[in-house]
Amino acid sequence: MANVTIWHNPKCSKSRDSFKLLEERGIDAEVIKYLDTPPTKEEIKEVLRMLGIAPRELMRTKEALYKELHLDEEMDDEKLIEAMVSNPRLIERPVVIKEGKAVIGRPLEKVVELIS
């Protein structure tokens, strides 16, 4: 069952929990360490479509960088997406994708629901 992808940050406990859950369920997920290999604009748009959310909802709005870049004042979705491409640490984590659907793994139960 390798049709699962995780946008993973090994330093994040929530991301590690989701990764561990996938391993425990025997799911050989494609792991994308998105801080090392940032998603493209198109990939972020596709994940937003799968999540059914606006760009800001995929962003870590409490990150200092979010405030430094004055993204709380930005109303243009394209610019928010560009900010995530340029600064992937702004992306909420983890994102787990399966068969055209995606969830942000907070809480972990969302990942359980997706893979069940």
Side-chain angles (χ1 to χ4, degrees):
M1 187 190 230
N3 60 343
V4 175
T5 301
I6 181 171
W7 289 6
H8 182 49
N9 176 355
K11 292 181 180 177
C12 169
S13 64
K14 300 292 184 196
S15 195
R16 287 193 310 268
D17 290 347
S18 290
F19 181 73
K20 183 178 176 192
L21 173 72
L22 296 173
E23 281 186 318
E24 288 171 350
R25 299 281 175 105
I27 297 171
D28 182 25
E30 176 185 3
V31 178
I32 298 173
K33 292 182 182 174
Y34 69 95
L35 294 178
D36 299 332
T37 308
T40 65
K41 191 176 189 178
E42 293 72 29
E43 289 169 326
I44 290 175
K45 285 182 176 185
E46 180 63 12
V47 163
L48 289 168
R49 185 195 62 71
M50 286 188 255
L51 289 166
I53 62 174
R56 192 175 316 277
E57 295 173 85
L58 184 58
M59 299 181 87
R60 297 177 56 79
T61 58
K62 293 187 172 126
E63 277 286 326
L65 181 61
Y66 181 85
K67 292 174 184 23
E68 288 168 26
L69 296 174
H70 305 285
L71 294 172
D72 52 333
E73 300 166 14
E74 184 58 64
M75 295 299 129
D76 184 339
D77 284 352
E78 287 295 317
K79 290 192 174 156
L80 293 174
I81 292 168
E82 288 168 13
M84 287 187 273
V85 171
S86 300
N87 305 282
R89 74 178 192 200
L90 289 171
I91 300 171
E92 190 59 80
R93 61 198 179 240
V95 175
V96 180
I97 304 162
K98 178 185 177 195
E99 298 172 354
K101 296 180 183 169
V103 296
I104 297 171
R106 292 169 179 265
L108 189 59
E109 289 73 27
K110 290 183 178 182
V111 178
V112 171
E113 207 173 285
L114 178 71
I115 63 173
S116 295

